[in-house]
């Protein structure tokens, strides 16, 4: 079955609403899949493969970008393909560059690009989001080298190319990357009027009290609505690389992760863990949040750091707790500092916050 046939079947079955922009994007991606499967050849004796143009699919949160990426990647029948979260890919690239620099053999970008190109002909990224100067400084040269090596790049993003790394440090050095996207990739907008992800949450209360079977049932139902996952099927897990170690995510699917408070805040974790989570997932389900106090200040400090990371990344938080936010830290040393977290938790329940895109800063 082709990508377009699979998309049409979902609409016919009522699992997706008819959406002209989604249909246009699905049609374009279907044509790209066909070109990758049947590459054009040129040159003497038609020996040279003509690389397929990549796609930059952008739009607001919940418009169906990840769903279309799922369909594209599942239905493009080539062997040398890889799908990876953009933040994870860039961590890998920086590690490869560090190895090349130690060789002291000149510019490390080209050998890194050559090594990646030797392993894959299609790179599919979720959520391209440039938030730091080290990434911004190398992206133009890296992606130019990848494209010149014949790699086709398909990516989703919440931002138009011209808004990437907006107001970032030394952004003038990043502008060639924007020009590269516009020149070497097809830019498709997916900005229909319906936020499907927000729509699926409906009137879901995002902060449930108390912890217990009822809250667990409500959060499980929200998880299945957000991910289209069959209730009877096992839920996959994930392993998130963080500074040379691995953070295990017990349940993770389509940008939604499920954690217990004990796993995230009861164990020795730091800001790097929480930032990695905020970059990878657009929604976090957190269960088992207890009432906090001076006796568990370490757990409270980690919780504060977690909420800061999720808030700055505009991650949606669905939680089960033993108290409302203003009752989480009722007494003891540290209560005053905790009030900023209470304020953020309340804002994260608001319609205005929930309507923002993952990673959005405006």
């Amino acid at each position: 079955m082709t990508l377009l046939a699979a998309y049409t079947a979902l609409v016919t079955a009522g699992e997706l609403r008819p959406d002209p922009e989604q249909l246009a994007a699905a049609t374009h991606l279907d044509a790209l899949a066909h070109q990758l499967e049947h590459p054009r050849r040129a040159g003497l004796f038609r020996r040279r493969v003509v690389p397929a143009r990549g796609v930059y699919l952008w739009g607001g949160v919940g418009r169906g970008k990840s769903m279309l990426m799922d369909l594209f990647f599942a239905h493009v029948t080539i062997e040398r393909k890889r799908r990876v979260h953009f933040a994870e890919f860039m961590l890998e690239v920086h590690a490869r560059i560090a190895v090349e620099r130690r060789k002291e053999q000149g510019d490390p970008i080209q050998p890194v690009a050559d090594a990646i190109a030797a392993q894959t002909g299609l790179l599919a990224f979720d959520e391209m989001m440039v938030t730091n100067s080290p990434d911004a400084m190398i992206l133009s040269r890296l992606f130019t080298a990848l494209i010149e090596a014949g790699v086709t790049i398909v990516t989703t993003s919440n931002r138009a190319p011209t808004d990437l790394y907006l107001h970032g440090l030394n952004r003038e050095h990043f502008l060639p990357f924007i020009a590269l996207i516009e020149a070497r990739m097809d830019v498709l907008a997916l900005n229909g009027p319906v936020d499907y992800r927000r729509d699926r949450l409906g009137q879901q209360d995002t902060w449930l009290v108390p912890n217990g079977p009822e809250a667990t049932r409500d959060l499980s139902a929200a998880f299945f609505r957000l991910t289209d996952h069959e209730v009877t099927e096992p839920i996959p897990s994930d392993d998130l690389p963080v500074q040379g170690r691995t953070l295990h995510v017990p349940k993770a699917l389509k940008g939604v992760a499920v954690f217990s408070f004990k796993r995230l805040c009861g164990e020795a974790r730091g800001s790097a863990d929480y930032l990695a989570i905020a970059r990878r997932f657009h929604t976090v389900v957190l269960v088992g949040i207890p009432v906090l106090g001076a006796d568990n200040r370490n757990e409270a400090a980690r919780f504060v750091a977690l909420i800061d990371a999720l808030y700055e990344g505009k991650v949606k938080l669905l939680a089960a707790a033993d108290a409302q936010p203003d009752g989480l830290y009722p007494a003891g040393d540290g209560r005053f500092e905790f009030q900023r977290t209470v304020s953020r938790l309340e804002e994260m329940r608001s319609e205005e916050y929930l309507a923002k895109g993952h990673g959005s800063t405006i």
Side-chain angles (χ1 to χ4, degrees):
M1 180 183 290
T2 66
L3 180 159
L4 189 56
Y7 175 80
T8 303
L10 290 172
V11 174
T12 301
E15 296 185 36
L16 295 176
R17 301 181 189 179
D19 185 312
E21 289 193 351
Q22 281 188 6
L23 177 60
T27 302
H28 193 106
L29 289 169
D30 186 76
L32 174 58
H34 185 269
Q35 186 177 350
L36 289 168
E37 293 162 359
H38 306 90
R40 293 191 296 114
R41 295 182 178 273
L44 188 63
F45 305 117
R46 298 174 63 83
R47 290 179 178 175
R48 180 173 60 86
V49 173
V50 179
R53 284 174 63 88
V55 168
Y56 184 98
L57 182 62
W58 74 277
V61 62
R63 263 61 182 197
K65 301 184 300 294
S66 294
M67 176 271 296
L68 288 170
M69 178 72 89
D70 286 341
L71 289 176
F72 169 72
F73 196 77
H75 290 89
V76 59
T77 55
I78 60 174
E79 293 183 1
R80 296 175 61 248
K81 62 179 182 178
R82 182 186 179 195
R83 183 176 179 183
V84 61
H85 194 278
F86 186 73
E88 180 180 340
F89 176 75
M90 291 310 300
L91 289 172
E92 174 189 320
V93 164
H94 285 296
R96 287 177 181 251
I97 288 174
V99 171
E100 292 297 328
R101 280 181 174 149
R102 287 195 290 270
K103 297 178 182 178
E104 298 183 351
Q105 296 179 354
D107 182 12
I109 299 294
Q110 189 63 53
V112 168
D114 290 342
I116 295 170
Q119 297 169 341
T120 184
L122 168 65
L123 273 175
F125 296 116
D126 283 323
E127 301 291 351
M128 178 178 282
M129 181 171 58
V130 185
T131 58
N132 61 74
S133 182
D135 285 357
M137 294 305 100
I138 68 170
L139 276 171
S140 180
R141 288 189 296 145
L142 173 67
F143 275 56
T144 297
L146 287 172
I147 291 172
E148 293 296 337
V151 178
T152 297
I153 297 167
V154 178
T155 186
T156 67
S157 179
N158 288 335
R159 293 179 175 270
T162 52
D163 289 339
L164 286 171
Y165 198 50
L166 200 61
H167 309 306
L169 183 65
N170 297 320
R171 189 172 186 260
E172 64 275 12
H173 300 303
F174 180 75
L175 296 180
F177 180 59
I178 295 175
L180 176 71
I181 291 174
E182 295 177 334
R184 305 294 292 271
M185 300 174 71
D186 294 327
V187 179
L188 307 180
L190 202 63
N191 275 309
V194 179
D195 179 349
Y196 294 101
R197 189 183 300 156
R198 179 69 192 97
D199 191 47
R200 289 183 181 190
L201 278 177
Q203 299 302 309
Q204 170 78 43
D205 188 354
T206 59
W207 189 273
L208 303 179
V209 176
N211 285 300
E214 184 176 349
T216 299
R217 282 193 300 271
D218 283 353
L219 293 178
S220 294
F223 178 88
F224 291 121
R225 288 198 304 275
L226 287 168
T227 61
D228 290 319
H229 195 64
E230 294 291 339
V231 177
T232 56
E233 294 294 320
I235 300 173
S237 60
D238 195 7
D239 289 315
L240 192 58
V242 182
Q243 296 183 339
R245 41 192 182 79
T246 299
L247 171 61
H248 182 66
V249 187
K251 297 177 181 179
L253 187 64
K254 294 186 178 180
V256 182
V258 180
F259 293 99
S260 68
F261 177 89
K262 183 177 180 180
R263 179 177 291 273
L264 281 190
C265 302
E267 300 175 0
R269 304 210 178 276
S271 294
D273 299 272
Y274 304 140
L275 289 171
I277 291 169
R279 285 194 296 262
R280 172 70 69 88
F281 302 106
H282 61 71
T283 302
V284 167
V285 179
L286 185 63
V287 299
I289 303 173
V291 173
L292 302 165
D295 291 339
N296 44 20
R297 286 202 65 184
N298 288 337
E299 291 88 338
R302 294 184 194 116
F303 181 70
V304 167
L306 169 65
I307 298 306
D308 283 347
L310 299 184
Y311 177 86
E312 294 298 335
K314 298 301 176 281
V315 177
K316 292 176 174 60
L317 175 66
L318 308 182
D322 283 335
Q324 294 292 341
D326 61 359
L328 274 184
Y329 205 123
D333 185 25
R335 172 172 166 74
F336 178 80
E337 292 83 354
F338 196 80
Q339 290 309 299
R340 182 171 66 95
T341 298
V342 172
S343 176
R344 290 194 160 184
L345 288 172
E346 294 292 358
E347 183 181 342
M348 292 168 79
R349 301 169 72 176
S350 69
E351 186 64 34
E352 181 181 4
Y353 179 91
L354 292 171
K356 291 181 178 180
H358 180 215
S360 172
T361 58
I362 57 175

